[in-house]
Amino acid sequence: MSDGQAKVEYYVRGADEKVFGPVPMETLVEWAADSRIDPTSAVSADQVSWKPAPLVPELEMIWLVETDPGVFYGPFNRHVVDGLLESGTITREARLYVLDNGRLSRLTAEIEAKTKAISDLEARAAEQAVTTKKTMDFMEAKLAELAAEMEEMGKAAETDHAAAKDDVFKTRERAEAAESRAMQAEAACGALEKKLSVAETEIADLKAQLASVTKFSSVRPRTVKTDVVQPEVVISDMPPPKSTPHFPGVGSASGLAALEAAAKRELAAAKKQGISLGGLFGGKK
């Protein structure tokens, strides 16, 4: 490597996308020998064009480890393999292979293919991220609309609740008034019932009296002697009215005979009673 190239510094990007550097090539070689650069790492001088670390000749990452038939790990720097053996991570039975130019070319092609596949995956992931971002924006907009609608619904619900509360209050007042009227009506009914009971009692008494009167009236009335009520004497300072006396005709035989017969009857009756007519009229017995 020339003096101009020695001045170039490099960056290392790991599988977790973290970038380290810039450092000179000598430092990269030390990192590769210290297992700080693995087969999935990439190296770049401008952080634009990246090259798989095993394809950088200076890092000497040409050693493969076969732990089981057909199961390979690497490629690593030789110092890394030695460290794996010393630590017991791999056993002495593990097979070590050094990549020659031909096999290295095939490995390079595979790595480039995998790198391209990774790039394609990253591109699709970026597209998916854009789509996801659009979807998220759309969902956030819809969420904002729903939040606004919910707020309006909440306000409407509060208004309806207040109206319902007022209706309940008014209904309660009407119910209390109706209950008061019902109590008054019940009291009036009680008073009417009492009056009706009294009236029924009075009617029963009247019926009993009527029955007594009817029974009494059905008995044949007896003659009851009563005292003769003397006519009221009216005294007036006016002379009495004139009247025309009616006598039987003067000299009428029939009139005299009747008077005589009446006199005889009176005399006979007086004698039976021991009354002297002379005494009545100023005479002597």
Side-chain angles (χ1 to χ4, degrees), residues 55 103-116:
L55 299 183
R103 296 186 65 184
L104 186 59
S105 298
R106 289 193 301 271
L107 182 59
T108 301
E110 293 177 3
I111 293 175
E112 289 179 352
K114 291 182 179 180
T115 302
K116 184 178 184 304

Side-chain angles (χ1 to χ4, degrees), residues 146-224:
L146 290 175
E149 292 178 1
M150 290 296 293
E151 185 177 0
E152 291 296 329
M153 292 176 64
K155 292 180 179 179
E158 289 179 358
T159 302
D160 294 341
H161 177 71
K165 187 176 181 181
D166 184 63
D167 291 341
V168 169
F169 179 75
K170 292 181 179 178
T171 302
R172 184 179 298 172
E173 286 185 341
R174 290 194 294 269
E176 291 177 353
E179 184 178 0
S180 177
R181 290 194 296 271
M183 293 177 64
Q184 294 176 0
E186 185 177 357
C189 288
L192 289 176
E193 288 179 355
K194 290 182 180 179
K195 290 182 179 179
L196 180 60
S197 178
V198 173
E200 288 177 350
T201 303
E202 292 177 353
I203 290 173
D205 294 341
L206 290 175
K207 285 182 178 180
Q209 294 177 11
L210 179 61
S212 300
V213 171
T214 302
K215 181 178 180 181
F216 180 79
S217 62
S218 64
V219 179
R220 186 174 181 179
R222 293 178 298 175
T223 304
V224 180

Side-chain angles (χ1 to χ4, degrees), residues 9-13 42-51:
E9 293 186 327
Y10 299 91
Y11 297 88
V12 177
R13 183 180 66 188
V43 178
S44 174
D46 55 7
Q47 297 191 69
V48 177
S49 299
W50 293 89
K51 188 175 183 179

Side-chain angles (χ1 to χ4, degrees), residues 26 69-70 81 88 135 146 235 239 283:
E26 291 81 2
V81 176
T135 303
L146 290 175
I235 301 175

